[in-house]
Amino acid sequence: MTDTHQGAGKDLSDRADRADRTEATRRSYDTVAADYQRLLAGLPDAAPLDRAMLAAFAASVRAGAAAGELPAAVADLGCGTGRVTAHLRELGVEAYGVDLSPGMVRVAREAYPGLRFEVGSMTALDLPDGALGGVLSWYATVHLDEPGLALAFAESARVLAPGGLLLLAFKVTTGPERERRRLERAYGHEVDLDVYRWAPDRVARLLTAAGLVEAARLVREPEAEDASPQGFFLARRPRTA
């Protein structure tokens, strides 16, 4: 077999593996959706830095929209049961939610009937280029490997208007540049999930490769039930190529 054929075969295998992991993630969150909402309703009061990053993101998008420089719409990708989507609306942002799991979306619609939620994938959004003033990814990429992360960042860059902002929250490794951990039970149910932790500099390189420019980063120590430090990036789509 030639190197070309071997490379093509590996690419097909990797795509199949990624599709399998995506389906496992969808099934897992469909299973836990109701108990996830019951256990995690609202934002934790013990995370003031998390709230500060959300507030800065919301204020920047609102200001851009008010100046006519950005679309007002913000997509909360991987929105789960909608608790952060609702928080963004409280901050004055025209936010709506997108999640891979129909079960999560169903619970979100029940919990927040006045808000919009859709089933969709953060790596293949049903949106035109430049449609959004902001994208929120609040721990939504924790189940993606590096190729999946690169796809998600590239898709966020595509749907952001020039000058639009991405706010990313992720789990930070204290060891190698990337850690993968298996999660087989969560929220009182059996699940089939990979959970990734990343070195911030590795994430920054992937954001840059997707065409996004880092505006701010924050790494905080674990609080409450956090098992690791937590990381946050604000990244902007450049106004000019």
Side-chain angles (χ1 to χ4, degrees), residues 74-151:
V74 170
D76 178 7
L77 303 183
C79 65
T81 56
R83 63 196 184 111
V84 185
T85 317
H87 182 67
L88 286 178
R89 290 299 291 263
E90 291 172 357
L91 294 174
V93 173
E94 294 184 20
Y96 72 99
V98 179
D99 200 272
L100 182 70
S101 161
M104 288 292 219
V105 168
R106 182 171 58 254
V107 172
R109 289 170 175 167
E110 293 171 354
Y112 307 102
L115 302 185
R116 170 185 161 202
F117 297 97
E118 301 175 355
V119 177
S121 169
M122 70 181 72
T123 62
L125 295 165
D126 186 19
L127 287 169
D129 296 356
L132 300 176
V135 167
L136 176 66
S137 180
W138 198 251
Y139 298 102
T141 61
V142 295
H143 305 304
L144 296 179
D145 60 8
E146 186 160 332
L149 206 57
L151 285 171

Side-chain angles (χ1 to χ4, degrees), residues 37 42 44 62 86 116 118 126 129 140 152 164 194 207 219-220 232:
Q37 170 65 7
R62 284 200 319 268
R116 170 185 161 202
E118 301 175 355
D126 186 19
D129 296 356
D194 289 332
L207 289 169
V219 176
R220 67 162 175 80
F232 306 86

Side-chain angles (χ1 to χ4, degrees), residues 146 149 153 176-178 198-207:
E146 186 160 332
L149 206 57
F153 290 167
E177 284 200 331
R178 186 207 73 169
W198 298 93
D201 285 346
R202 183 84 166 261
V203 175
R205 291 196 295 271
L206 290 169
L207 289 169

Side-chain angles (χ1 to χ4, degrees), residues 18-30:
R18 194 169 300 115
D20 288 345
R21 294 310 311 153
T22 298
E23 182 55 32
T25 300
R26 180 185 291 111
R27 287 197 308 269
S28 294
Y29 279 102
D30 281 347

Side-chain angles (χ1 to χ4, degrees), residues 142-229:
V142 295
H143 305 304
L144 296 179
D145 60 8
E146 186 160 332
L149 206 57
L151 285 171
F153 290 167
E155 187 69 345
S156 291
R158 182 186 70 80
V159 299
L160 281 171
L165 280 170
L166 165 69
L167 175 57
L168 172 74
F170 63 101
K171 298 177 183 294
V172 174
T173 177
T174 56
E177 284 200 331
R178 186 207 73 169
E179 291 182 76
R180 183 181 72 175
R181 302 193 174 206
R182 289 291 300 149
L183 186 62
E184 296 179 343
R185 188 163 186 83
Y187 312 111
H189 298 271
E190 292 184 0
V191 296
D192 180 10
L193 297 168
D194 289 332
V195 179
Y196 289 89
R197 299 175 183 174
W198 298 93
D201 285 346
R202 183 84 166 261
V203 175
R205 291 196 295 271
L206 290 169
L207 289 169
T208 298
L212 297 166
V213 177
E214 180 181 339
R217 74 169 74 181
L218 169 70
V219 176
R220 67 162 175 80
E221 291 303 307
E223 295 185 9
E225 297 181 0
D226 295 334
S228 71

